[in-house]
Amino acid sequence: MNPKVVAVVGATGLVGRKMIETLENRNFPVKAIKFLASERSRVRKLAYKGEEIPVEVLDENSFKGIEIALFSAGGSTSKKFAPIAAKDGCVVVDNSSAWRMDPEVPLVVPEVNAHEIKNHKGIIANPNCSTIQMVVALKPIHDFARIERIVVSTYQAVSGAGQNAVQELLNQMQAYVEGKPLEIKVFPHQILFNCIPQIPQKDAFEANGYTNEEMKMVNETKKIMGDPSIQVTATTVRVPVISSHSESVNIQTEKKVTVEKARELLANAPGVVLMDDPAKQVYPLATMAAGRWETFVGRIREDISHPRALDMWIVADNLLKGAAYNAVQIAEYL
Ligand code: A2P
């Protein structure tokens, strides 16, 4: 592949910095790299392969000469600047939710629907973090037995809500140890020692009682799998974990899938690591998935309440497979 001129938009954020790290770690062929963020980061520098690169303030002229731009600076920034970048001939891989459900924009998890990448018109959307890891694990089972219905509950890390959210959990831990009152700013309630069934933290609830995050899992799963007939219901929960989302997933299939068959399918699936030896207490954990690119699956069992259903536990690093690595993978396909 010819080296590319790359920009990272939102380079100073948690996902932005993981994007930079992933480009480095995967030896992405970079001819030149530009880091973009808001006015607040004007004087900052970020390292790329040992070189200190000044962060530039994003504006309408930022994309001249850029070939690939990885965006992770929030929905409103993507809404405004992705079309400007695309007009300048740049291909945008956008981590926000701004473009995901646009019928003109491919929504891509390379292990599932890499063939959609070529249909882009300048913008490719990176799906929601919880959705990505779920579809990586479910695609091989869907191909074999057709999934009719998915019931998922998530246990999502605070890093999915950005660096202020991680800091809030750490601050609450420290305040608790010191016997001081806990400060609540980012999350709607205390996150330390809690599970909060509301993601995102602001304006979460839709008219049907689901949160935006839950409806993303419903809608994005159908689009990525290319099958609007898959029924999905989700409950998404923030837990006091820093890295990696965990998911309890129940699937009902048209054709029965035994545990052995599911294990065989997952053992051979791209991007999946099967970790399923309950007798030895081997199953995926958030701490072991952190820093890894793969999606980990275990606790696979036949649902005793239904003749054609399986339960499983799916874990992945939400900032890597759930965001930065998936985006860089798409850029590699480009
Ligand atoms: P900055 O650091 O200058 O505020 P996180 O989700 O981890 O908080 O990161 C958000 C990222 O998006 C940061 O890099 C942030 O830059 C960037 N960002 C937020 N708003 C804008 C904006 N209006 N223009 C450019 N970058 C933005």
Side-chain angles (χ1 to χ4, degrees):
M1 179 158 72
N2 287 335
K4 300 286 176 197
V5 183
V6 178
V8 178
V9 182
T12 52
L14 271 188
V15 172
R17 279 181 288 133
K18 288 282 176 191
M19 285 169 161
I20 297 167
E21 207 181 285
T22 306
L23 289 167
E24 284 177 324
N25 291 343
R26 293 192 59 88
N27 264 319
F28 190 87
V30 167
K31 196 194 296 175
I33 194 156
K34 188 171 190 173
F35 296 149
L36 296 158
S38 80
E39 192 60 50
R40 289 180 290 272
S41 302
R42 191 179 275 284
V43 293
R44 282 190 68 178
K45 284 184 177 172
L46 292 170
Y48 186 78
K49 295 208 164 171
E51 195 187 331
E52 290 288 313
I53 297 174
V55 177
E56 296 176 41
V57 178
L58 173 67
D59 67 26
E60 280 80 358
N61 299 313
S62 295
F63 300 98
K64 307 264 182 269
I66 303 290
E67 295 173 281
I68 297 177
L70 306 180
F71 271 62
S72 192
S76 52
T77 304
S78 294
K79 201 90 208 159
K80 179 170 173 196
F81 287 96
I84 294 173
K87 221 163 145 206
D88 278 346
C90 169
V91 183
V92 172
V93 182
D94 180 35
N95 191 52
S96 82
S97 59
W99 299 98
R100 288 179 191 154
M101 295 313 293
D102 186 319
E104 298 287 300
V105 174
L107 180 66
V108 176
V109 177
E111 291 84 347
V112 178
N113 63 341
H115 57 272
E116 293 286 349
I117 293 173
K118 63 179 185 315
N119 301 329
H120 78 81
K121 299 185 172 74
I123 305 175
I124 299 166
N126 213 36
N128 164 269
C129 45
S130 305
T131 311
I132 293 177
Q133 66 185 69
M134 184 170 82
V135 297
V136 167
L138 296 190
K139 179 67 162 71
I141 300 177
H142 186 56
D143 288 346
F144 176 75
R146 214 186 77 75
I147 295 173
E148 295 171 337
R149 180 168 186 248
I150 303 171
V151 182
V152 52
S153 299
T154 68
Y155 305 68
Q156 296 185 219
V158 293
S159 54
Q163 49 207 353
N164 294 340
V166 175
Q167 199 53 52
E168 179 150 308
L169 173 59
L170 297 175
N171 291 348
Q172 289 182 1
M173 275 172 57
Q174 184 157 4
Y176 178 83
V177 171
E178 292 172 358
K180 293 182 181 156
L182 308 192
E183 200 178 0
I184 299 167
K185 283 200 297 209
V186 176
F187 293 109
H189 303 280
Q190 174 185 328
I191 184 65
L192 182 68
F193 306 137
N194 244 344
C195 299
I196 304 177
Q198 177 192 328
I199 302 177
Q201 43 280 11
K202 289 205 178 73
D203 302 324
F205 291 99
E206 302 197 359
N208 63 3
Y210 283 71
T211 62
N212 305 157
E213 184 85 351
E214 287 156 357
M215 290 311 296
K216 284 176 192 171
M217 292 195 80
V218 172
N219 297 323
E220 293 180 23
T221 298
K222 294 170 195 250
K223 181 169 175 179
I224 302 161
M225 299 279 247
D227 186 345
S229 75
I230 303 176
Q231 297 302 300
V232 185
T233 185
T235 303
T236 58
V237 182
R238 192 72 72 188
V239 296
V241 163
I242 290 180
S243 294
S244 306
H245 293 348
S246 304
E247 300 179 342
S248 160
V249 179
N250 179 278
I251 55 167
Q252 189 179 309
T253 49
E254 194 175 84
K255 182 164 105 180
K256 184 179 172 68
V257 185
T258 62
V259 171
E260 294 70 31
K261 187 67 196 177
R263 284 191 180 140
E264 179 196 316
L265 291 167
L266 288 164
N268 295 308
V272 172
V273 175
L274 181 67
M275 279 194 82
D276 197 17
D277 193 353
K280 294 197 177 119
Q281 302 182 73
V282 172
Y283 34 73
L285 293 171
T287 45
M288 54 82 26
R292 298 280 300 265
W293 288 326
E294 308 95 320
T295 295
F296 298 84
V297 188
R299 293 295 323 279
I300 302 169
R301 60 208 189 276
E302 285 170 36
D303 175 349
I304 54 173
S305 73
H306 193 281
R308 288 171 287 105
L310 286 173
D311 285 295
M312 64 188 76
W313 180 246
I314 303 172
V315 182
D317 187 318
N318 56 303
L319 298 180
L320 290 178
K321 186 55 191 164
Y325 169 56
N326 198 73
V328 172
Q329 259 183 312
I330 295 171
E332 287 172 353
Y333 274 84
L334 282 170

